[in-house]
Amino acid sequence: MKLNNIYFIWAHPRPDSLTAQVVGEMQREAARQGYNVSSLDLYRSHFDPLLRVEDEPDWDNPQKTYSEEVHRLFNELEDKDTLVLVFPVWWYAFPAMLKGYLERVWNYGLAYGAGSGLTDKKIRWLALVGGSQSGFIKYGWEKNMTDYINGSMAYLGVEDARIDFLYNTIGVEEGITDGEAHYQKLFAEAREVVSSLRATSEA
């Protein structure tokens, strides 16, 4: 059986955060299933999320040479067939660190434009939502984020993409009385995202 190369990209300032634990659970599940696993921890790698002039897209020059950091990080994706981005939802959006990664590294002439390099990849997004699913849906945030991701993936020409949500990650809503069981359920849901990748490969 072919070994797939899976690459985790994640963002949280604390290495002991729930986000970090979720990534760990997913990485162990991926390794258990025979994937070659690698990752980019945006905070611990000291990634700079600020888009400066040298990395600004030039619409007249799809062959523009960006900063060394941008090309190095984008080249890390070349042999990866599956990308998994894991992040907490802050202010109903990506953390600034992850948004900066997308703006700088998934750049014009690299991730989109003629001959872009992400079209043949599977991309999964896992968003950790602090509150309940009912509240997130009620105010339209789940649809908003799903539409945003789907639209972005279509723009990149990525056909196999999906966003999943882990809800109540702060654990203060819906009358949770058994915190341990609640978080174990979240870990199981995160592992299932990895398990479902194999199912789509064999479909």
Side-chain angles (χ1 to χ4, degrees):
M1 179 174 59
K2 175 187 174 184
L3 288 176
N4 300 95
N5 296 318
I6 186 169
Y7 186 69
F8 290 89
I9 303 163
W10 66 282
H12 199 288
R14 288 187 292 105
D16 62 346
S17 63
L18 180 63
T19 301
Q21 294 176 62
V22 164
V23 171
E25 291 284 337
M26 298 178 81
Q27 288 176 326
R28 285 187 288 274
E29 180 64 20
R32 189 186 70 80
Q33 295 194 25
Y35 288 96
N36 294 314
V37 179
S38 56
S39 66
L40 174 62
D41 174 348
L42 289 169
Y43 277 91
R44 259 58 62 185
S45 67
H46 305 293
F47 175 74
D48 180 3
L50 295 180
L51 179 67
R52 295 183 170 85
V53 173
E54 62 267 31
D55 292 329
E56 183 181 3
D58 183 347
W59 307 116
D60 295 322
N61 180 20
Q63 282 77 46
K64 176 179 178 177
T65 298
Y66 300 105
S67 64
E68 184 277 333
E69 182 179 35
V70 164
H71 285 282
R72 175 178 58 82
L73 290 175
F74 191 79
N75 288 340
E76 287 188 8
L77 308 179
E78 183 175 1
D79 64 342
K80 312 302 189 299
D81 47 74
T82 304
L83 312 179
V84 180
L85 295 93
V86 185
F87 60 96
V89 175
W90 291 339
W91 289 96
Y92 307 105
F94 301 133
M97 180 66 84
L98 179 57
K99 187 64 161 57
Y101 170 84
L102 299 175
E103 290 176 352
R104 289 189 62 210
V105 180
W106 291 15
N107 213 326
Y108 178 55
L110 300 176
Y112 62 98
S116 62
L118 296 181
T119 56
D120 61 341
K121 301 186 186 301
K122 295 180 185 179
I123 302 183
R124 297 294 182 267
W125 306 76
L126 185 61
L128 281 71
V129 179
S132 67
Q133 182 175 14
S134 60
F136 208 62
I137 290 174
K138 176 181 178 180
Y139 295 105
W141 294 113
E142 184 179 271
K143 183 180 186 302
N144 180 64
M145 290 198 74
T146 300
D147 288 349
Y148 179 81
I149 293 295
N150 289 341
S152 299
M153 295 298 93
Y155 187 69
L156 296 178
V158 176
E159 295 183 357
D160 191 346
R162 191 180 79 195
I163 182 170
D164 291 287
F165 300 89
L166 298 183
Y167 286 102
N168 243 319
T169 58
I170 298 177
V172 297
E173 295 187 20
E174 297 183 334
I176 295 170
T177 57
D178 188 340
E180 177 63 23
H182 171 66
Y183 287 108
Q184 289 303 320
K185 179 176 178 292
L186 295 182
F187 292 147
E189 291 174 7
R191 292 192 297 269
E192 180 56 31
V193 172
V194 175
S195 297
S196 67
L197 290 168
R198 188 68 71 195
T200 58
S201 297
E202 297 171 352

